[in-house]
Amino acid sequence: MGRDDLTNAEWDRLESFLPPGGARGGRWSDHRRVINGVLYRVRTGVQWRDLPERFGPWETVYKRHRRWSADGTWQMLLSRVQAAEDALGAIDWDVSVDSTAVRAPQHAAGARTAAPAAVPQKGAGRGDEPGRSGTAETGSPPGGGGQVGECLGRSRGGFTTKIHLVADGRCRPLAFVLTPGHYGDGPQLERVLEQVSVSRTGVGRPRTRPDHVLADKAYTSRGNRRYLRRRGIRHTIPERLDQQRHRRNRGSRGGRPTGFDSERYKKRNTIERAINRLKGFRTVATRYEKRAYIYLGTVTLAALVIWLRT
């Protein structure tokens, strides 16, 4: 077994959720071997063609990763693991929000503007569940194309993609979204918090509301504070000096000062540590994929490994 391969305990947690064999005689290659191949590539950053032979044909590993990135299988596995942790009361719902820029080399550009549609093959039934059919060829999801559509942009770091994420109090990513690198952090707060959804293992709606949100000055807008108050989410976000000055200049019309708990704000380092964990995977720290949905699948798999091993 390789250094970063799934352990028996980790495999036992995932095996029951994985797609069964394909219909009408179709068969998957061994799931555990293929997942270990994807993990090897995500950790080391090697090209797909350079995967060691013990993982089987590199085309099989790459196509499985592309398929599961497109149909949501990686996200489904992450959601199941998060639900199991929440059932044990192991999620700290004092969450932190931040973003990180990821450098993309020139090879990440050049994706076609028109994404190809899914082409069903012979034997694919209409009732095939996403991620659980071995016969239907999964094309890229709708959207994408062009630099902005593939979440690529120009920023101070050059050609970059930005990951906006929410992490729980144990430095584990709860949810994340991708944007081009020049997009600001503040406008993405509502979008990334809307991605938080931890299912119940029994009866009940998924949990979508944290107990508390910690964020830095980039998120200190009136719109963000109104959104958090409307959802009944307590928050600790420092106010910028120019906002304080503007509020004082308006006198009574400027409203009351925002509350700020400096001791609680010290816990915001959890998001920085979660980012460091994600960027420990080389294909997360540097984006090589042309397609945003494949890179999102890579980030999701890295987050899944963090949840399994924390």
Side-chain angles (χ1 to χ4, degrees), residues 138-181:
T138 305
S140 58
Q147 286 191 14
V148 174
E150 300 297 344
C151 297
L152 292 167
R154 298 283 179 178
S155 65
R156 291 181 181 179
F159 202 41
T160 53
T161 291
K162 188 172 282 188
I163 306 173
H164 305 262
L165 71 155
V166 184
D168 79 335
R170 297 181 62 187
C171 310
R172 299 175 297 187
L174 275 173
F176 33 83
V177 296
L178 303 182
T179 66

mmCIF file of all heavy atoms in Angstrom, residues 138-181:
data_model
loop_
_atom_site.group_PDB
_atom_site.id
_atom_site.type_symbol
_atom_site.label_atom_id
_atom_site.label_comp_id
_atom_site.label_asym_id
_atom_site.label_seq_id
_atom_site.Cartn_x
_atom_site.Cartn_y
_atom_site.Cartn_z
ATOM 1 N N THR A 138 -20.489 10.646 -19.083
ATOM 2 C CA THR A 138 -20.808 11.930 -18.485
ATOM 3 C C THR A 138 -19.994 13.019 -19.146
ATOM 4 O O THR A 138 -18.769 13.001 -19.081
ATOM 5 C CB THR A 138 -20.518 11.904 -16.965
ATOM 6 O OG1 THR A 138 -21.236 10.826 -16.387
ATOM 7 C CG2 THR A 138 -20.916 13.201 -16.313
ATOM 8 N N GLY A 139 -20.661 13.982 -19.754
ATOM 9 C CA GLY A 139 -19.980 15.140 -20.299
ATOM 10 C C GLY A 139 -19.821 16.190 -19.229
ATOM 11 O O GLY A 139 -20.143 15.994 -18.068
ATOM 12 N N SER A 140 -19.271 17.343 -19.615
ATOM 13 C CA SER A 140 -19.091 18.412 -18.640
ATOM 14 C C SER A 140 -20.435 19.024 -18.284
ATOM 15 O O SER A 140 -21.354 19.044 -19.092
ATOM 16 C CB SER A 140 -18.156 19.484 -19.198
ATOM 17 O OG SER A 140 -18.682 20.009 -20.399
ATOM 18 N N PRO A 141 -20.601 19.529 -17.072
ATOM 19 C CA PRO A 141 -21.865 20.144 -16.675
ATOM 20 C C PRO A 141 -22.101 21.427 -17.449
ATOM 21 O O PRO A 141 -21.186 21.978 -18.058
ATOM 22 C CB PRO A 141 -21.672 20.410 -15.178
ATOM 23 C CG PRO A 141 -20.197 20.459 -14.990
ATOM 24 C CD PRO A 141 -19.624 19.519 -15.999
ATOM 25 N N PRO A 142 -23.337 21.944 -17.457
ATOM 26 C CA PRO A 142 -23.624 23.170 -18.195
ATOM 27 C C PRO A 142 -22.831 24.342 -17.653
ATOM 28 O O PRO A 142 -22.473 24.387 -16.480
ATOM 29 C CB PRO A 142 -25.129 23.359 -17.994
ATOM 30 C CG PRO A 142 -25.460 22.578 -16.771
ATOM 31 C CD PRO A 142 -24.526 21.416 -16.781
ATOM 32 N N GLY A 143 -22.588 25.318 -18.530
ATOM 33 C CA GLY A 143 -21.821 26.489 -18.133
ATOM 34 C C GLY A 143 -20.363 26.323 -18.483
ATOM 35 O O GLY A 143 -19.939 25.355 -19.107
ATOM 36 N N GLY A 144 -19.559 27.283 -18.070
ATOM 37 C CA GLY A 144 -18.134 27.222 -18.353
ATOM 38 C C GLY A 144 -17.824 27.776 -19.727
ATOM 39 O O GLY A 144 -18.682 28.287 -20.459
ATOM 40 N N GLY A 145 -16.587 27.683 -20.106
ATOM 41 C CA GLY A 145 -16.137 28.223 -21.368
ATOM 42 C C GLY A 145 -15.585 29.624 -21.199
ATOM 43 O O GLY A 145 -16.154 30.448 -20.480
ATOM 44 N N GLY A 146 -14.451 29.907 -21.816
ATOM 45 C CA GLY A 146 -13.814 31.197 -21.645
ATOM 46 C C GLY A 146 -13.113 31.275 -20.301
ATOM 47 O O GLY A 146 -13.289 30.440 -19.419
ATOM 48 N N GLN A 147 -12.314 32.320 -20.126
ATOM 49 C CA GLN A 147 -11.541 32.435 -18.888
ATOM 50 C C GLN A 147 -12.437 32.619 -17.677
ATOM 51 O O GLN A 147 -12.282 31.928 -16.664
ATOM 52 C CB GLN A 147 -10.554 33.607 -18.989
ATOM 53 C CG GLN A 147 -9.357 33.323 -19.878
ATOM 54 C CD GLN A 147 -8.286 34.379 -19.761
ATOM 55 O OE1 GLN A 147 -8.304 35.193 -18.843
ATOM 56 N NE2 GLN A 147 -7.359 34.383 -20.699
ATOM 57 N N VAL A 148 -13.389 33.544 -17.744
ATOM 58 C CA VAL A 148 -14.255 33.792 -16.591
ATOM 59 C C VAL A 148 -15.134 32.586 -16.327
ATOM 60 O O VAL A 148 -15.335 32.176 -15.170
ATOM 61 C CB VAL A 148 -15.100 35.054 -16.818
ATOM 62 C CG1 VAL A 148 -16.113 35.233 -15.680
ATOM 63 C CG2 VAL A 148 -14.208 36.285 -16.908
ATOM 64 N N GLY A 149 -15.672 31.974 -17.373
ATOM 65 C CA GLY A 149 -16.516 30.801 -17.202
ATOM 66 C C GLY A 149 -15.781 29.630 -16.580
ATOM 67 O O GLY A 149 -16.388 28.808 -15.898
ATOM 68 N N GLU A 150 -14.477 29.537 -16.788
ATOM 69 C CA GLU A 150 -13.673 28.474 -16.195
ATOM 70 C C GLU A 150 -12.950 28.943 -14.939
ATOM 71 O O GLU A 150 -12.006 28.300 -14.474
ATOM 72 C CB GLU A 150 -12.658 27.950 -17.214
ATOM 73 C CG GLU A 150 -13.265 27.361 -18.473
ATOM 74 C CD GLU A 150 -14.134 26.134 -18.199
ATOM 75 O OE1 GLU A 150 -14.033 25.560 -17.100
ATOM 76 O OE2 GLU A 150 -14.910 25.756 -19.092
ATOM 77 N N CYS A 151 -13.394 30.058 -14.369
ATOM 78 C CA CYS A 151 -12.868 30.580 -13.096
ATOM 79 C C CYS A 151 -11.375 30.884 -13.182
ATOM 80 O O CYS A 151 -10.592 30.525 -12.286
ATOM 81 C CB CYS A 151 -13.158 29.619 -11.948
ATOM 82 S SG CYS A 151 -14.918 29.393 -11.632
ATOM 83 N N LEU A 152 -10.962 31.549 -14.235
ATOM 84 C CA LEU A 152 -9.591 31.990 -14.401
ATOM 85 C C LEU A 152 -9.577 33.499 -14.579
ATOM 86 O O LEU A 152 -10.416 34.046 -15.290
ATOM 87 C CB LEU A 152 -8.930 31.316 -15.605
ATOM 88 C CG LEU A 152 -8.681 29.812 -15.494
ATOM 89 C CD1 LEU A 152 -8.333 29.230 -16.851
ATOM 90 C CD2 LEU A 152 -7.567 29.524 -14.496
ATOM 91 N N GLY A 153 -8.677 34.172 -13.919
ATOM 92 C CA GLY A 153 -8.619 35.622 -14.028
ATOM 93 C C GLY A 153 -7.226 36.140 -13.746
ATOM 94 O O GLY A 153 -6.326 35.399 -13.329
ATOM 95 N N ARG A 154 -7.044 37.435 -13.966
ATOM 96 C CA ARG A 154 -5.757 38.085 -13.724
ATOM 97 C C ARG A 154 -5.828 38.856 -12.412
ATOM 98 O O ARG A 154 -6.745 39.647 -12.196
ATOM 99 C CB ARG A 154 -5.429 39.049 -14.856
ATOM 100 C CG ARG A 154 -5.290 38.377 -16.211
ATOM 101 C CD ARG A 154 -3.963 37.659 -16.330
ATOM 102 N NE ARG A 154 -3.832 36.989 -17.632
ATOM 103 C CZ ARG A 154 -2.754 36.312 -18.007
ATOM 104 N NH1 ARG A 154 -1.730 36.203 -17.185
ATOM 105 N NH2 ARG A 154 -2.705 35.723 -19.174
ATOM 106 N N SER A 155 -4.859 38.605 -11.538
ATOM 107 C CA SER A 155 -4.775 39.324 -10.268
ATOM 108 C C SER A 155 -3.316 39.649 -10.005
ATOM 109 O O SER A 155 -2.458 39.481 -10.877
ATOM 110 C CB SER A 155 -5.366 38.469 -9.135
ATOM 111 O OG SER A 155 -4.592 37.304 -8.916
ATOM 112 N N ARG A 156 -3.010 40.111 -8.802
ATOM 113 C CA ARG A 156 -1.623 40.434 -8.468
ATOM 114 C C ARG A 156 -0.720 39.212 -8.600
ATOM 115 O O ARG A 156 0.468 39.334 -8.880
ATOM 116 C CB ARG A 156 -1.546 40.963 -7.036
ATOM 117 C CG ARG A 156 -2.192 42.330 -6.862
ATOM 118 C CD ARG A 156 -2.048 42.793 -5.424
ATOM 119 N NE ARG A 156 -2.668 44.094 -5.217
ATOM 120 C CZ ARG A 156 -2.714 44.730 -4.048
ATOM 121 N NH1 ARG A 156 -2.179 44.149 -2.974
ATOM 122 N NH2 ARG A 156 -3.285 45.904 -3.938
ATOM 123 N N GLY A 157 -1.277 38.051 -8.383
ATOM 124 C CA GLY A 157 -0.485 36.826 -8.493
ATOM 125 C C GLY A 157 -0.340 36.317 -9.902
ATOM 126 O O GLY A 157 0.230 35.251 -10.118
ATOM 127 N N GLY A 158 -0.919 37.036 -10.880
ATOM 128 C CA GLY A 158 -0.872 36.595 -12.266
ATOM 129 C C GLY A 158 -2.151 35.883 -12.654
ATOM 130 O O GLY A 158 -3.257 36.324 -12.338
ATOM 131 N N PHE A 159 -2.003 34.776 -13.364
ATOM 132 C CA PHE A 159 -3.132 33.987 -13.850
ATOM 133 C C PHE A 159 -3.594 33.089 -12.705
ATOM 134 O O PHE A 159 -2.894 32.146 -12.322
ATOM 135 C CB PHE A 159 -2.665 33.161 -15.043
ATOM 136 C CG PHE A 159 -3.768 32.723 -15.958
ATOM 137 C CD1 PHE A 159 -4.809 33.564 -16.296
ATOM 138 C CD2 PHE A 159 -3.756 31.452 -16.503
ATOM 139 C CE1 PHE A 159 -5.810 33.156 -17.157
ATOM 140 C CE2 PHE A 159 -4.745 31.031 -17.370
ATOM 141 C CZ PHE A 159 -5.774 31.893 -17.688
ATOM 142 N N THR A 160 -4.768 33.390 -12.120
ATOM 143 C CA THR A 160 -5.156 32.721 -10.884
ATOM 144 C C THR A 160 -6.630 32.346 -10.852
ATOM 145 O O THR A 160 -7.456 32.905 -11.566
ATOM 146 C CB THR A 160 -4.870 33.610 -9.652
ATOM 147 O OG1 THR A 160 -5.492 34.892 -9.850
ATOM 148 C CG2 THR A 160 -3.396 33.788 -9.412
ATOM 149 N N THR A 161 -6.914 31.383 -9.982
ATOM 150 C CA THR A 161 -8.270 31.021 -9.565
ATOM 151 C C THR A 161 -8.343 31.243 -8.060
ATOM 152 O O THR A 161 -7.353 31.071 -7.351
ATOM 153 C CB THR A 161 -8.559 29.534 -9.883
ATOM 154 O OG1 THR A 161 -8.626 29.375 -11.293
ATOM 155 C CG2 THR A 161 -9.880 29.086 -9.273
ATOM 156 N N LYS A 162 -9.502 31.643 -7.575
ATOM 157 C CA LYS A 162 -9.659 31.877 -6.139
ATOM 158 C C LYS A 162 -10.634 30.859 -5.564
ATOM 159 O O LYS A 162 -11.689 30.601 -6.134
ATOM 160 C CB LYS A 162 -10.148 33.302 -5.873
ATOM 161 C CG LYS A 162 -10.144 33.687 -4.401
ATOM 162 C CD LYS A 162 -10.460 35.167 -4.215
ATOM 163 C CE LYS A 162 -9.269 36.031 -4.527
ATOM 164 N NZ LYS A 162 -9.520 37.446 -4.155
ATOM 165 N N ILE A 163 -10.260 30.264 -4.427
ATOM 166 C CA ILE A 163 -11.124 29.350 -3.683
ATOM 167 C C ILE A 163 -11.680 30.094 -2.485
ATOM 168 O O ILE A 163 -10.923 30.548 -1.626
ATOM 169 C CB ILE A 163 -10.357 28.101 -3.206
ATOM 170 C CG1 ILE A 163 -9.646 27.405 -4.368
ATOM 171 C CG2 ILE A 163 -11.305 27.126 -2.510
ATOM 172 C CD1 ILE A 163 -8.739 26.267 -3.923
ATOM 173 N N HIS A 164 -12.988 30.251 -2.418
ATOM 174 C CA HIS A 164 -13.658 30.825 -1.258
ATOM 175 C C HIS A 164 -14.206 29.663 -0.441
ATOM 176 O O HIS A 164 -14.931 28.810 -0.980
ATOM 177 C CB HIS A 164 -14.796 31.747 -1.681
ATOM 178 C CG HIS A 164 -14.362 32.826 -2.626
ATOM 179 N ND1 HIS A 164 -14.073 34.104 -2.210
ATOM 180 C CD2 HIS A 164 -14.168 32.818 -3.967
ATOM 181 C CE1 HIS A 164 -13.714 34.847 -3.240
ATOM 182 N NE2 HIS A 164 -13.769 34.084 -4.326
ATOM 183 N N LEU A 165 -13.875 29.609 0.835
ATOM 184 C CA LEU A 165 -14.297 28.451 1.603
ATOM 185 C C LEU A 165 -14.724 28.806 3.012
ATOM 186 O O LEU A 165 -14.371 29.861 3.551
ATOM 187 C CB LEU A 165 -13.191 27.386 1.651
ATOM 188 C CG LEU A 165 -11.946 27.651 2.480
ATOM 189 C CD1 LEU A 165 -11.303 26.333 2.898
ATOM 190 C CD2 LEU A 165 -10.938 28.472 1.675
ATOM 191 N N VAL A 166 -15.530 27.884 3.568
ATOM 192 C CA VAL A 166 -15.971 27.921 4.958
ATOM 193 C C VAL A 166 -15.353 26.716 5.652
ATOM 194 O O VAL A 166 -15.433 25.595 5.140
ATOM 195 C CB VAL A 166 -17.510 27.848 5.068
ATOM 196 C CG1 VAL A 166 -17.959 27.989 6.522
ATOM 197 C CG2 VAL A 166 -18.165 28.913 4.205
ATOM 198 N N ALA A 167 -14.744 26.940 6.813
ATOM 199 C CA ALA A 167 -14.137 25.840 7.573
ATOM 200 C C ALA A 167 -14.742 25.787 8.961
ATOM 201 O O ALA A 167 -15.062 26.822 9.560
ATOM 202 C CB ALA A 167 -12.623 26.029 7.672
ATOM 203 N N ASP A 168 -14.913 24.575 9.482
ATOM 204 C CA ASP A 168 -15.434 24.438 10.837
ATOM 205 C C ASP A 168 -14.313 24.688 11.848
ATOM 206 O O ASP A 168 -13.167 24.962 11.484
ATOM 207 C CB ASP A 168 -16.086 23.062 11.030
ATOM 208 C CG ASP A 168 -15.068 21.953 11.253
ATOM 209 O OD1 ASP A 168 -13.912 22.092 10.808
ATOM 210 O OD2 ASP A 168 -15.432 20.929 11.868
ATOM 211 N N GLY A 169 -14.633 24.606 13.127
ATOM 212 C CA GLY A 169 -13.663 24.909 14.159
ATOM 213 C C GLY A 169 -12.529 23.920 14.284
ATOM 214 O O GLY A 169 -11.580 24.152 15.044
ATOM 215 N N ARG A 170 -12.581 22.803 13.533
ATOM 216 C CA ARG A 170 -11.516 21.808 13.537
ATOM 217 C C ARG A 170 -10.712 21.847 12.232
ATOM 218 O O ARG A 170 -10.072 20.877 11.857
ATOM 219 C CB ARG A 170 -12.095 20.410 13.762
ATOM 220 C CG ARG A 170 -12.783 20.260 15.130
ATOM 221 C CD ARG A 170 -13.325 18.863 15.331
ATOM 222 N NE ARG A 170 -12.263 17.861 15.314
ATOM 223 C CZ ARG A 170 -12.487 16.540 15.339
ATOM 224 N NH1 ARG A 170 -13.729 16.079 15.369
ATOM 225 N NH2 ARG A 170 -11.481 15.692 15.332
ATOM 226 N N CYS A 171 -10.771 22.985 11.552
ATOM 227 C CA CYS A 171 -9.953 23.233 10.351
ATOM 228 C C CYS A 171 -10.311 22.317 9.192
ATOM 229 O O CYS A 171 -9.429 21.906 8.418
ATOM 230 C CB CYS A 171 -8.464 23.121 10.671
ATOM 231 S SG CYS A 171 -7.931 24.076 12.094
ATOM 232 N N ARG A 172 -11.594 21.983 9.045
ATOM 233 C CA ARG A 172 -12.028 21.121 7.941
ATOM 234 C C ARG A 172 -12.975 21.908 7.034
ATOM 235 O O ARG A 172 -13.896 22.567 7.513
ATOM 236 C CB ARG A 172 -12.731 19.875 8.482
ATOM 237 C CG ARG A 172 -11.840 19.019 9.358
ATOM 238 C CD ARG A 172 -12.583 17.863 9.981
ATOM 239 N NE ARG A 172 -13.660 18.295 10.878
ATOM 240 C CZ ARG A 172 -14.372 17.482 11.643
ATOM 241 N NH1 ARG A 172 -14.145 16.189 11.597
ATOM 242 N NH2 ARG A 172 -15.307 17.941 12.432
ATOM 243 N N PRO A 173 -12.754 21.870 5.724
ATOM 244 C CA PRO A 173 -13.606 22.629 4.800
ATOM 245 C C PRO A 173 -15.046 22.114 4.802
ATOM 246 O O PRO A 173 -15.290 20.937 4.551
ATOM 247 C CB PRO A 173 -12.953 22.409 3.440
ATOM 248 C CG PRO A 173 -11.556 21.955 3.745
ATOM 249 C CD PRO A 173 -11.655 21.190 5.025
ATOM 250 N N LEU A 174 -15.985 23.009 5.091
ATOM 251 C CA LEU A 174 -17.405 22.655 5.041
ATOM 252 C C LEU A 174 -17.985 22.872 3.660
ATOM 253 O O LEU A 174 -18.818 22.097 3.201
ATOM 254 C CB LEU A 174 -18.192 23.495 6.058
ATOM 255 C CG LEU A 174 -18.251 23.004 7.499
ATOM 256 C CD1 LEU A 174 -18.912 24.052 8.384
ATOM 257 C CD2 LEU A 174 -19.021 21.686 7.592
ATOM 258 N N ALA A 175 -17.581 23.951 2.995
ATOM 259 C CA ALA A 175 -18.108 24.277 1.670
ATOM 260 C C ALA A 175 -17.130 25.228 0.995
ATOM 261 O O ALA A 175 -16.354 25.923 1.666
ATOM 262 C CB ALA A 175 -19.492 24.908 1.770
ATOM 263 N N PHE A 176 -17.197 25.277 -0.335
ATOM 264 C CA PHE A 176 -16.302 26.162 -1.073
ATOM 265 C C PHE A 176 -16.885 26.433 -2.449
ATOM 266 O O PHE A 176 -17.692 25.648 -2.976
ATOM 267 C CB PHE A 176 -14.898 25.560 -1.209
ATOM 268 C CG PHE A 176 -14.877 24.062 -1.320
ATOM 269 C CD1 PHE A 176 -15.078 23.432 -2.528
ATOM 270 C CD2 PHE A 176 -14.679 23.284 -0.192
ATOM 271 C CE1 PHE A 176 -15.082 22.061 -2.627
ATOM 272 C CE2 PHE A 176 -14.669 21.904 -0.277
ATOM 273 C CZ PHE A 176 -14.872 21.284 -1.495
ATOM 274 N N VAL A 177 -16.476 27.554 -3.026
ATOM 275 C CA VAL A 177 -16.847 27.920 -4.389
ATOM 276 C C VAL A 177 -15.602 28.456 -5.083
ATOM 277 O O VAL A 177 -14.652 28.910 -4.426
ATOM 278 C CB VAL A 177 -17.976 28.973 -4.428
ATOM 279 C CG1 VAL A 177 -19.261 28.430 -3.844
ATOM 280 C CG2 VAL A 177 -17.558 30.246 -3.701
ATOM 281 N N LEU A 178 -15.604 28.413 -6.410
ATOM 282 C CA LEU A 178 -14.497 28.919 -7.213
ATOM 283 C C LEU A 178 -14.923 30.183 -7.931
ATOM 284 O O LEU A 178 -16.074 30.305 -8.374
ATOM 285 C CB LEU A 178 -14.055 27.883 -8.246
ATOM 286 C CG LEU A 178 -13.615 26.505 -7.758
ATOM 287 C CD1 LEU A 178 -13.174 25.659 -8.944
ATOM 288 C CD2 LEU A 178 -12.509 26.611 -6.729
ATOM 289 N N THR A 179 -13.991 31.131 -8.049
ATOM 290 C CA THR A 179 -14.197 32.332 -8.850
ATOM 291 C C THR A 179 -12.892 32.649 -9.565
ATOM 292 O O THR A 179 -11.827 32.133 -9.186
ATOM 293 C CB THR A 179 -14.606 33.546 -7.991
ATOM 294 O OG1 THR A 179 -13.515 33.903 -7.126
ATOM 295 C CG2 THR A 179 -15.851 33.262 -7.166
ATOM 296 N N PRO A 180 -12.925 33.511 -10.578
ATOM 297 C CA PRO A 180 -11.656 34.003 -11.127
ATOM 298 C C PRO A 180 -10.847 34.723 -10.052
ATOM 299 O O PRO A 180 -11.395 35.224 -9.062
ATOM 300 C CB PRO A 180 -12.110 34.966 -12.233
ATOM 301 C CG PRO A 180 -13.473 34.482 -12.620
ATOM 302 C CD PRO A 180 -14.084 33.969 -11.357
ATOM 303 N N GLY A 181 -9.542 34.793 -10.241
ATOM 304 C CA GLY A 181 -8.662 35.304 -9.199
ATOM 305 C C GLY A 181 -8.847 36.761 -8.857
ATOM 306 O O GLY A 181 -8.464 37.193 -7.768
#
